[in-house]
Every structure is written in structure tokens, then in C-alpha cells.
Amino acid sequence: MSPQPDPRHDIDGDVYVSPRHLASTTGTGDPALAPLLDLGWDLQHDDLGNVYVHAPDRRIRLGYLSEGEDDGLWRINAYTDPFGQPTWGACFNDRCPTEFVHAFTTALAAAYEQGPDTYLARPVPGAEEHDPFLAVVPLLAQGWQVDRPRWGVFAVQAPDSHAALEFTTGDLDPEAELSTRDARWQLWAGESVDRPTWYATASTDTPVALLTAVTQCVADPAPLPRWRQDTYSYIKGMAQLTPILPPQPPAPTPLDVQRAGASRRPAALPAPSVPRWSTTSRPALPGPRR
């Protein structure tokens, strides 16, 4: 059985969705924007309602494209030269669980505070902190299985076969990596890679720390809270829904039991008495009837 979050905290939902990769978007982007806005990044809107967030040095840009040309809702690009081509890019579509995007932006905020050597760090096979294999480890630890679904693609597949992380080998078109699903990394869930409910992509030079933050979040065995009536927020027919029960009152302590027993004990009746120096006698008891 999957562990459940602490019921003492406020939970935004009436069901838990498990496994969590079969959840979907919460329908709001605010939580995933928060880590960047908390650093003072610039927030702008266009006339269509799309949202753009820029790092102070303009080397990282995030677009929340609710009115974009395709289903790529979240597009994040980083630049060595603010006026040049992106060094790396990541995309999350409009059904991707918001928690996974939040994991990415949280790691991105931390990397930005450490500087360009961190948020522009390219993956290096065999390097202690930058080996691409590190992004796969959290999923393998939760029982995801190595797979070779197609020629030139290395993958790890979820135990239920409804999700996978794919790594494409060989040379790729840098521009296609930034604008299509033909990227080095692709994480998806749903019926198949050709018909995913949600997906996320990342280009070749995306820092391993950012990728690992997402796979750690996906691999977390804790279910995600959702509202049953919001069927867009989970993959219907695949996800397991478990009702969220209200928290139970805490078990009584021995002192609580003792106090409860004392409150139920009937009060003793006072014994009749006559003041010690009273001159009043008790009334005589009635004698036998004649």
C-alpha cells in the first residue's frame, strides 16, 4: 500500500491518485511559478493571457502559454548569450501534473542562485554530478524496468506500463529539440508514447540536476490529492482513486481516561450529622404502630 500524506495538513482534494504518474494537471500554474517569483523574477503578460517570467540576467525565460500554438503549456529556455539561441530547453504539456513542473522550477531557482556554472551545466557521462544516468536512478529505485522500445531509444518503464522515461541516442536537431517532442529526453504517461495523456521533454544540454528533480518527484510513492469531479486532473480508467478520509481524533492518553472516569463517577451522598455543640436533638424515630 502506498503511504499517504499526513492527514493533519490541509489537503486540496477528496481523493488520492496513485501511482502519482497517473495524475494530471491541477489546473493552476501558480504553484510552479512561485519558486521563480520568490526570487524576484520579472512577470509579464501578453494580450492573449500568456505569462512570461524572466530571470534578472535574462539568461532564463519561462513561458506559461495557455494560448499557445500547441499543447506545450510550459516552455523553459536557458541561454549562454541572452540574445543567442537557447543552450537548453524543457517543455511540459498542458496535462502534466503541476507537482512535476514545480519540482523542476524549484530546482531551477536553486541552480540560478548558484550561478551560470550550475544552471548552464551540461550533462557529462561519467562525471560525478553531471552523469545523465543520475536522472534515471530514482525511477529504477522504485521498480521501473529498463526497456528498448525502439531503435536508438533507451527507456525505463513504470511497473504498470503506463509511463516511461525515454532517452534518445545519436545526433539530434537542436531546433527540433526545442520545439517538438523529438528531444533527447521524454517523460510521458498514458496509453503509449504515441498517445500520451501528458508528457515532458528536455533537450540534450539540460542540467542533470533539473532532470533528477523531476524524476525524484515522479518516483515518490506518495499519492497526489485531486478532486474526483475534476476528471481532467487524473487519467481516468487507469489511476487508482482512494477517498481521503477526515483525520481521526487522537487516541486518549491514560490521563484522559482517568479524567473521563472521574467525571462519570456519581457523587457520594453527604452523611447526616448534627453540629457537635448543637442543643437541638434529632427528631425521635417513629415507634411501632399500635
Side-chain angles (χ1 to χ4, degrees):
M1 180 182 297
S2 299
Q4 294 188 345
D6 190 338
R8 292 174 294 181
H9 296 291
D10 293 334
I11 300 173
D12 188 14
D14 59 5
V15 293
Y16 286 123
V17 176
S18 59
R20 60 169 44 200
H21 60 258
L22 295 181
S24 185
T25 179
T26 59
T28 176
D30 292 347
L33 293 174
L36 306 180
L37 298 181
D38 288 345
L39 293 182
W41 289 28
D42 183 40
L43 174 67
Q44 298 178 358
H45 301 78
D46 65 16
D47 295 337
L48 298 177
N50 297 310
V51 175
Y52 303 93
V53 179
H54 303 269
D57 63 3
R58 292 299 195 261
R59 288 190 176 186
I60 303 178
R61 303 169 191 168
L62 177 148
Y64 179 76
L65 309 176
S66 57
E67 299 298 328
E69 297 179 355
D70 54 28
D71 65 347
L73 179 62
W74 300 87
R75 291 193 179 276
I76 304 101
N77 294 330
Y79 304 78
T80 301
D81 179 353
F83 299 99
Q85 292 297 314
T87 301
W88 61 259
C91 173
F92 300 84
N93 85 326
D94 55 4
R95 292 291 303 276
C96 185
T98 310
E99 291 85 353
F100 302 165
V101 186
H102 178 262
F104 186 93
T105 56
T106 299
L108 180 59
Y112 185 78
E113 288 193 295
Q114 296 178 46
D117 289 343
T118 301
Y119 67 78
L120 294 175
R122 288 181 167 86
V124 179
E128 183 177 356
E129 297 181 358
H130 306 296
D131 191 329
F133 182 72
L134 294 175
V136 180
V137 172
L139 300 174
L140 294 176
Q142 291 299 319
W144 290 44
Q145 298 295 316
V146 175
D147 189 23
R148 294 300 297 265
R150 301 179 302 284
W151 182 87
V153 175
F154 166 85
V156 289
Q157 189 176 73
D160 62 5
S161 300
H162 293 319
L165 172 67
E166 298 189 351
F167 178 87
T168 300
T169 61
D171 296 331
L172 297 176
D173 181 347
E175 292 188 7
E177 283 198 82
L178 299 174
S179 57
T180 72
R181 290 175 59 196
D182 296 329
R184 183 70 62 192
W185 297 91
Q186 181 172 192
L187 179 65
W188 62 268
E191 294 183 10
S192 68
V193 66
D194 298 319
R195 299 184 61 186
T197 298
W198 67 259
Y199 67 83
T201 62
S203 68
T204 299
D205 288 333
T206 305
V208 172
L210 306 185
L211 299 170
T212 304
V214 177
T215 57
Q216 285 176 338
C217 189
V218 174
D220 189 333
L224 294 177
R226 293 293 188 267
W227 297 100
R228 185 184 295 270
Q229 65 181 12
D230 296 339
T231 54
Y232 65 82
S233 68
Y234 54 89
I235 304 180
K236 193 174 181 180
M238 294 185 183
Q240 178 181 346
L241 305 182
T242 305
I244 296 177
L245 302 178
Q248 298 297 318
T253 66
L255 182 59
D256 293 332
V257 174
Q258 181 180 357
R259 289 172 176 170
S263 65
R264 291 194 298 268
R265 188 179 302 121
L269 296 176
S273 63
V274 176
R276 184 175 181 182
W277 302 112
S278 174
T279 57
T280 303
S281 301
R282 291 183 180 179
L285 297 176
R289 295 184 177 180
R290 296 180 180 273

